[in-house]
Amino acid sequence: MTVWLTLILALGGAPADLDAAVASAGEVTIEVPVFEGGEGLDFFEECARRYMTERPNVTVELYGDPRIADKVRIRCLEGSFPEASNAPINYWPLIENGDMLALDPYLDGPNWEGDRTWRESFMPGVLDVYVRGGRTYAVPFFYSVWVIWYNKAMFEEHGWETPETWDELFALCEEIEAAGIPAMTFQGRYLSYAQPFIDAAYYHLAGPERYWEQKESLAAGSFDNPEFVRALELSTRLTQYFQKGAMGMTHTESQREFFEGNAAMIPCGSWLKSEMKDKIPPGYRLGCFRYPYVPTGKADPTAIPVGSNYYFVFARSDHPEVAVDFYRFMTSREMAGLFAEMQDFPVAIEGANEGRLSDDLDDMLQILETTETVYGRPPGEGYPEFDQYLTDVRSELFLGKITPEQAAAELERDAQIVVARAADPTRVKWRPWQKQWQPLLLIGLIVFSIGFAAVAGVRSLRQERVERKVTQSGLRMRWQAILLFVGPAFLLYTVFVVVPCLRSFQWSLYRWDGLTDMHWIGLVHFERLLFESEVFWTALGNNLFIMLVVPAFVLPLSLFLAACLSRRLPGSTLFRIVFFFPNILGIVAATLIWGYVYNANGGLANGALVGIGEGLLWLHDELLPFGFLESWGASMVDQWSGFPWLSPDHLYWALVPMSIWGACGFNLILFLAAMESIPTSLYESADLDGASPWRQFWTITLPLIWDVLAIAIVFMVIGGMKAFEVIWLLTNQRPISENHVIGTYMVNSMFNEFKVGQATAIAVVLFLIVFFGSIATLRMMRRERVEY
């Protein structure tokens, strides 16, 4: 079938009857991984079942989860493409490489109902998002439109009117704040939610042509200009109306605050009600309005920003045309209308929303019916690494660290760096000479660790050889027996560890995006990491924080608790269980728990600290009228009310309590087991000699558990250097450069920027640091042990 359809396309377009072509194709199976968001998978599974009823010869293997993007990225790197997907990955390199199917021949053919072309089935403008060279590479399904939602009952109660322009929006915010209500809550830990504000302002200030130049080519001057600076000023001015603590909230937390009536408005997409449908109070009435515009006359005032929930077909899969046919079925009015009804979520199909949406979506439906123009390009088009620069500047801007003028200048500089690097990938611009001590020191430490480990290893082998000669018996194992016992394990280790490591070393010497051909560039990646990249050194510094600062709290506390429990204090068995319990939980579960603890509004941490402040105020008012109690209490209530623990500025110090809670139990068990193996006669002798418990700890306990302490330190060192999951989760998979660790930087390079060579170079450097650093640490700790 594929050959037949390819010939027809080459001769002039889509098959006249795709239905007949698919029906005569024989038994085929298509694979469709989908992103499982707030809308779930129920509709898609039902759609697959109904399609298989219509096409009995086709089997649709449809599956999905919230992390489907990672799986699809790996499939793309392997070259084993599924037929179709809507996974949120960067498709532009795939489009450039010819891996995605251009859908125009099919769009110009009939839709599923056969009453119009497939292209005419979609709402105006929605097919313009993924267009390259005049070809369309994706179709939308549910309509991801950015709007500002508001509490309709609250607006009616106070007589507030929905705004259209920026000035009207600011005036409305002033009215709401005057009523004692936060005007707007915000998803501060997802700063991509700020981008539609910037886009909305710049689109109207600069006009569509200049807007698209910025998005498509990072054209010179498209950032550092008065219109973009003004767009940033308008966007950041809104932050003064954000709910307190909003910059530390996830999207779920901020949306919950909105539905609980703690804020009047929230910027979000058309998926808001569908995503929160089980958490909306009964009787809550929703309304929405377009993002504000600047009345310059350069752009359509009804234009709306759209998201990137689009559906693609992989050209190099086994049955791409069948996937197209499945999409035709899914975007039929019947199926699209079913989705709109099931999820209360508008779709981008003409005539499918009418009568299918709830009253809360009336404003949304009116917006869609009166819109002819859309904008909003997916991040990273053509230059995926620019997204990291944009994320960093956006964070600094909205946290008030830089001015709009500085942000525009930084983005202009960053854009030109990215463009120049794309033009000459081997070019490396070294950092200022004042910072070159860092790579020299790191290289020196790695060389020293290698040399130290080698010398110590040779000495150890010689000593063991001498001891073996002294104690050697006549019984020796034959080499065949050694091979029998060691061979299988050695073979498995070689295949699954040694070979991948060697392959990583090899890839680090190439420039490769995982999709196109490899290009040899030698040590350029290492030179760029060590001598050019600021992000690498920031990430390494964050690893060192976790490796040095966290153990400074965890290890002494673990030793103290183990020493106390080893004394057989009352309840020691219960305390062992309590302290070890966090280790039973997985890292993901523990991180989610602490996410709730650190919730800016209503979290346990802020609640406890504010409660202490309120307690001090009560003491002042009722019992002890001392001025300092009132001052302390008021200060605590003001400082910790809505404190954003998980904002980028406070993230790493917030890890310290998490690490104490999570790591103390494991180290306590290690130390306690070692302490209980110490003969009690030593302590009895020390008691007879009058040694205090403190002296006994330093002269008996610590020297005899030194080996275990050394292992615990190595575990903490390795854990600090390999830190990934906690940072990745707490930054919602989008860490800014200041929050990167080596692990997140590596994953971001591999899967978001498609820099396989750079990612493997990072892995090689990490391996060298961890491996030889651990060996050197063990050797140094061993030497210290001998000195006792």
Side-chain angles (χ1 to χ4, degrees):
M1 183 198 73
T2 302
V3 175
W4 182 79
L5 285 172
T6 303
L7 287 173
I8 292 179
L9 287 174
L11 292 174
D17 191 351
L18 187 57
D19 297 341
V22 174
S24 61
E27 297 293 330
V28 297
T29 299
I30 63 171
E31 185 182 1
V32 185
V34 298
F35 172 71
E36 184 181 2
E39 68 279 359
L41 294 178
D42 292 344
F43 165 79
F44 299 102
E45 292 170 348
E46 176 64 21
C47 182
R49 283 192 292 269
R50 294 194 185 188
Y51 178 76
M52 287 187 287
T53 301
E54 295 284 337
R55 301 280 195 253
N57 62 314
V58 178
T59 300
V60 179
E61 292 184 355
L62 187 144
Y63 58 92
D65 63 55
R67 302 296 302 275
I68 197 67
D70 295 337
K71 299 177 181 179
V72 173
R73 287 190 189 103
I74 293 173
R75 296 286 298 275
C76 292
L77 293 176
E78 292 175 342
S80 58
F81 299 102
E83 268 70 21
S85 182
N86 71 331
I89 66 174
N90 186 356
Y91 287 95
W92 293 108
L94 297 167
I95 291 172
E96 293 290 342
N97 196 48
D99 294 317
M100 308 312 300
L101 185 68
L103 302 176
D104 299 273
Y106 307 98
L107 288 168
D108 295 331
N111 64 355
W112 185 262
E113 293 86 353
D115 57 358
R116 66 183 76 175
T117 66
W118 193 23
R119 188 185 300 275
E120 293 169 342
S121 298
F122 296 96
M123 289 185 171
V126 297
L127 292 173
D128 298 338
V129 175
Y130 277 96
V131 174
R132 174 60 59 86
R135 295 182 177 182
T136 305
Y137 287 92
V139 294
F141 182 56
F142 49 86
Y143 210 162
S144 297
V145 180
W146 290 96
V147 293
I148 298 177
W149 296 89
Y150 67 93
N151 185 327
K152 188 169 281 190
M154 185 183 293
F155 268 56
E156 291 175 354
E157 178 184 351
H158 292 85
W160 297 327
E161 297 291 334
T162 57
E164 294 184 358
T165 67
W166 282 92
D167 290 338
E168 292 173 356
L169 176 60
F170 293 135
L172 172 63
C173 290
E174 291 288 347
E175 291 183 46
I176 297 173
E177 295 279 333
I181 303 170
M184 188 177 292
T185 189
F186 185 68
Q187 306 85 341
R189 285 170 59 194
Y190 288 82
L191 278 173
S192 58
Y193 279 77
Q195 192 60 42
F197 283 114
I198 301 171
D199 283 350
Y202 188 62
Y203 183 80
H204 292 279
L205 285 164
E209 183 177 351
R210 290 176 59 194
Y211 171 86
W212 291 119
E213 284 181 355
Q214 182 196 80
K215 292 292 182 180
E216 294 176 357
S217 61
L218 304 180
S222 60
F223 292 97
D224 196 3
N225 60 71
E227 290 81 9
F228 190 69
V229 171
R230 178 60 177 159
L232 297 180
E233 289 174 348
L234 291 171
S235 303
T236 53
R237 183 178 167 186
L238 274 177
T239 58
Q240 64 183 297
Y241 303 112
F242 287 171
Q243 181 186 14
K244 191 172 183 180
M247 296 308 293
M249 294 185 193
T250 64
H251 69 292
T252 304
E253 292 166 353
S254 61
Q255 288 163 195
R256 189 184 300 117
E257 290 290 310
F258 171 67
F259 283 114
E260 290 175 356
N262 296 327
M265 299 180 289
I266 183 172
C268 194
S270 48
W271 57 84
L272 176 65
K273 185 177 181 184
S274 176
E275 188 173 64
M276 301 292 289
K277 59 184 176 182
D278 297 329
K279 303 177 182 66
I280 301 176
Y284 194 98
R285 295 167 55 219
L286 270 174
C288 65
F289 55 88
R290 288 183 175 89
Y291 273 73
Y293 71 94
V294 181
T296 60
K298 296 181 179 180
D300 178 9
T302 67
I304 54 176
V306 298
S308 56
N309 288 307
Y310 279 69
Y311 291 76
F312 298 80
V313 176
F314 291 90
R316 300 184 184 181
S317 60
D318 292 335
H319 307 288
E321 295 85 2
V322 181
V324 173
D325 188 60
F326 175 67
Y327 280 169
R328 288 173 62 237
F329 176 76
M330 189 176 72
T331 56
S332 65
R333 288 190 292 275
E334 179 184 355
M335 295 309 301
L338 177 64
F339 176 86
E341 185 174 350
M342 288 176 61
Q343 300 297 331
D344 207 9
F345 197 141
V347 291
I349 313 302
E350 289 278 10
N353 292 309
E354 286 74 7
R356 302 283 193 146
L357 302 173
S358 67
D359 294 342
D360 286 331
L361 276 294
D362 284 348
D363 291 347
M364 172 66 69
L365 191 56
Q366 183 180 8
I367 289 173
L368 299 182
E369 291 175 347
T370 57
T371 294
E372 294 291 334
T373 309
V374 301
Y375 60 92
R377 185 68 76 179
E381 176 183 349
Y383 303 96
E385 68 174 300
F386 184 71
D387 188 48
Q388 182 68 66
Y389 291 103
L390 181 61
T391 300
D392 295 344
V393 173
R394 206 162 44 198
S395 174
E396 292 179 333
L397 179 67
F398 277 76
L399 290 173
K401 294 182 178 180
I402 57 176
T403 65
E405 291 80 7
Q406 291 171 325
E410 284 190 26
L411 285 174
E412 183 70 30
R413 180 202 63 204
D414 296 339
Q416 299 316 306
I417 290 174
V418 170
V419 171
R421 187 176 296 159
D424 183 6
T426 61
R427 177 177 175 267
V428 177
K429 183 179 180 181
W430 283 29
R431 298 184 303 157
W433 64 269
Q434 296 92 336
K435 296 183 178 182
Q436 296 308 327
W437 63 270
Q438 294 173 317
L440 296 177
L441 177 62
L442 177 61
I443 294 171
L445 288 175
I446 292 176
V447 172
F448 170 77
S449 299
I450 294 173
F452 183 84
V455 172
V458 170
R459 288 180 177 177
S460 179
L461 288 174
R462 288 178 177 175
Q463 183 177 357
E464 290 177 3
R465 186 175 299 173
V466 171
E467 294 174 354
R468 192 182 301 118
K469 287 181 179 180
V470 174
T471 61
Q472 188 176 30
S473 67
L475 183 63
R476 303 182 67 180
M477 184 176 290
R478 296 181 178 181
W479 69 267
Q480 294 93 337
I482 295 175
L483 186 62
L484 176 64
F485 284 107
V486 177
F490 179 76
L491 180 63
L492 289 174
Y493 188 81
T494 300
V495 172
F496 292 104
V497 178
V498 176
V499 172
C501 286
L502 294 176
R503 182 61 62 88
S504 295
F505 279 98
Q506 177 190 0
W507 286 355
S508 67
L509 304 177
Y510 288 84
R511 178 172 60 87
W512 186 39
D513 59 6
L515 304 170
T516 57
D517 295 335
M518 290 183 171
H519 298 278
W520 169 270
I521 58 173
L523 299 175
V524 169
H525 289 310
F526 295 97
E527 181 185 4
R528 177 167 290 137
L529 288 174
L530 297 177
F531 296 98
E532 180 187 46
S533 175
E534 294 285 355
V535 181
F536 174 80
W537 290 105
T538 300
L540 183 59
N542 290 332
N543 280 105
L544 292 175
F545 179 94
I546 298 173
M547 189 175 70
L548 300 177
V549 176
V550 170
F553 290 91
V554 170
L555 294 178
L557 183 58
S558 299
L559 279 170
F560 171 75
L561 293 174
C564 292
L565 294 179
S566 68
R567 296 283 178 173
R568 300 291 193 275
L569 297 177
S572 59
T573 302
L574 175 63
F575 281 114
R576 293 187 195 191
I577 297 172
V578 171
F579 287 131
F580 190 73
F581 174 75
N583 294 274
I584 300 175
L585 299 174
I587 294 178
V588 175
T591 304
L592 293 176
I593 290 173
W594 277 92
Y596 286 110
V597 171
Y598 283 138
N599 188 348
N601 291 288
L604 181 62
N606 284 352
L609 292 168
V610 170
I612 293 172
E614 291 174 345
L616 293 175
L617 292 175
W618 180 85
L619 281 176
H620 171 268
D621 295 337
E622 301 294 334
L623 299 176
L624 303 171
F626 299 127
F628 69 90
L629 288 178
E630 181 180 21
S631 175
W632 289 356
S635 175
M636 290 191 69
V637 170
D638 180 67
Q639 180 176 357
W640 301 112
S641 178
F643 185 81
W645 286 93
L646 298 179
S647 69
D649 287 345
H650 309 118
L651 177 65
Y652 276 90
W653 283 107
L655 292 179
V656 174
M658 292 177 60
S659 301
I660 292 174
W661 177 81
C664 267
F666 176 76
N667 289 285
L668 181 149
I669 296 299
L670 285 180
F671 297 149
L672 188 59
M675 291 177 184
E676 291 183 343
S677 67
I678 299 174
T680 56
S681 58
L682 297 177
Y683 293 107
E684 292 170 356
S685 300
D687 286 333
L688 293 175
D689 290 339
S692 64
W694 180 254
R695 179 133 183 113
Q696 291 178 28
F697 175 81
W698 282 101
T699 57
I700 298 176
T701 305
L702 193 59
L704 293 179
I705 67 167
W706 191 259
D707 284 340
V708 176
L709 179 61
I711 292 172
I713 292 175
V714 170
F715 281 166
M716 297 295 288
V717 168
I718 294 174
M721 290 307 302
K722 293 176 63 178
F724 171 74
E725 292 94 342
V726 174
I727 303 301
W728 193 246
L729 291 171
L730 291 180
T731 57
N732 303 297
Q733 299 87 53
R734 283 292 181 182
I736 63 172
S737 292
E738 290 183 0
N739 289 154
H740 267 305
V741 289
I742 296 296
T744 60
Y745 184 38
M746 178 177 63
V747 170
N748 186 69
S749 297
M750 172 75 87
F751 294 117
N752 292 339
E753 299 180 358
F754 282 77
K755 295 181 177 179
V756 179
Q758 177 174 295
T760 51
I762 295 171
V764 169
V765 174
L766 180 62
F767 167 78
L768 293 175
I769 294 173
V770 172
F771 184 76
F772 291 106
S774 300
I775 293 176
T777 301
L778 279 174
R779 293 297 180 183
M780 287 188 287
M781 293 293 292
R782 184 177 180 180
R783 183 185 63 183
E784 289 289 331
R785 181 183 66 82
V786 173
E787 291 177 1
Y788 274 96

